[in-house]
Amino acid sequence: MLNALDKEIIKRLQEDIIIEKEPFKSMAKELNVGEEKIIERIKYLKNIGVLKRIGAVLHHREAGFKANAMVVWYVPSGRVECIGNYLAKLPQVTHCYERVTCENWKYNLFTMIHGKTKEECEKLIEGLAKEININDYDILYSTRELKKSSMKYKDLSDGSSILFK
């Protein structure tokens, strides 16, 4: 069962968190509790499965990354997990997903790479292709950003204890 503090924490975690050294200190002050209590409750919510993760949304264009390349790779099925795990750990790769193929689309591994220019992205991608020994790939560049928002859950202000409906 969620208490009032838990509901307030969930509500605030759905919004932007202030970028600062101790991001939960401001939340604690607003909720009139100690920062340790906020962290304790977040851990509790994660342990009971209410929170899966806390993620950050990088507005990459504002950060100076103007070229955003989705690299679609055709990786032999026996190598997908190994290569996917390798690429996912690289700091240059912000997203890495295995996808189901279909008759007209053979690419089964997708990675997102951000750079200041297309040339920078392409140089990085060429280097990655050599490292993983995969030459069958294509690069899809973003043309514009359509959505950049966090997941919103049920409004808990009505006193409800059910998180998802």
Side-chain angles (χ1 to χ4, degrees), residues 6 9 12 16 18 21 56 69 95 114 123 131 141 146:
D6 296 334
I9 290 170
R12 282 171 168 74
D16 291 342
I18 298 170
K21 186 177 179 181
H95 301 75
H114 304 283
K123 184 177 178 183
E131 282 181 46
Y141 286 100
L146 298 174

Side-chain angles (χ1 to χ4, degrees), residues 13-121:
L13 288 176
Q14 293 177 82
E15 303 302 327
D16 291 342
I17 296 174
I18 298 170
I19 300 172
E20 57 189 358
K21 186 177 179 181
E22 297 170 307
F24 300 119
K25 194 172 263 187
S26 298
M27 184 188 303
K29 188 174 181 179
E30 288 174 20
L31 297 175
N32 201 29
V33 297
E35 181 184 24
E36 312 78 35
K37 184 70 170 178
I38 297 291
I39 294 169
E40 171 194 315
R41 296 313 296 171
I42 289 171
K43 287 179 181 178
Y44 167 75
L45 293 168
K46 184 172 183 336
N47 287 339
I48 66 168
V50 171
L51 292 178
K52 298 291 183 205
R53 65 183 175 87
I54 298 174
V57 175
L58 171 66
H59 295 277
H60 51 270
R61 293 181 193 272
E62 292 173 26
F65 297 99
K66 305 293 184 197
N68 306 294
M70 173 65 73
V71 187
V72 292
W73 308 85
Y74 170 70
V75 179
S77 60
R79 296 183 62 206
V80 172
E81 188 170 347
C82 179
I83 289 175
N85 285 330
Y86 173 76
L87 291 173
K89 291 177 183 172
L90 297 175
Q92 309 92 315
V93 176
T94 59
H95 301 75
C96 185
Y97 299 97
E98 181 180 5
R99 295 287 189 219
V100 176
T101 61
C102 62
E103 187 177 329
N104 297 324
W105 188 258
K106 65 181 178 180
Y107 302 106
N108 56 351
L109 190 66
F110 290 37
T111 56
M112 192 71 187
I113 296 172
H114 304 283
K116 296 187 185 312
T117 65
K118 283 186 176 184
E119 294 76 21
E120 181 181 314
C121 286

Side-chain angles (χ1 to χ4, degrees), residues 129-140:
K130 286 178 184 173
E131 282 181 46
I132 62 175
N133 196 27
I134 298 289
N135 296 314
D136 195 352
Y137 65 89
D138 202 355
I139 305 170
L140 311 170

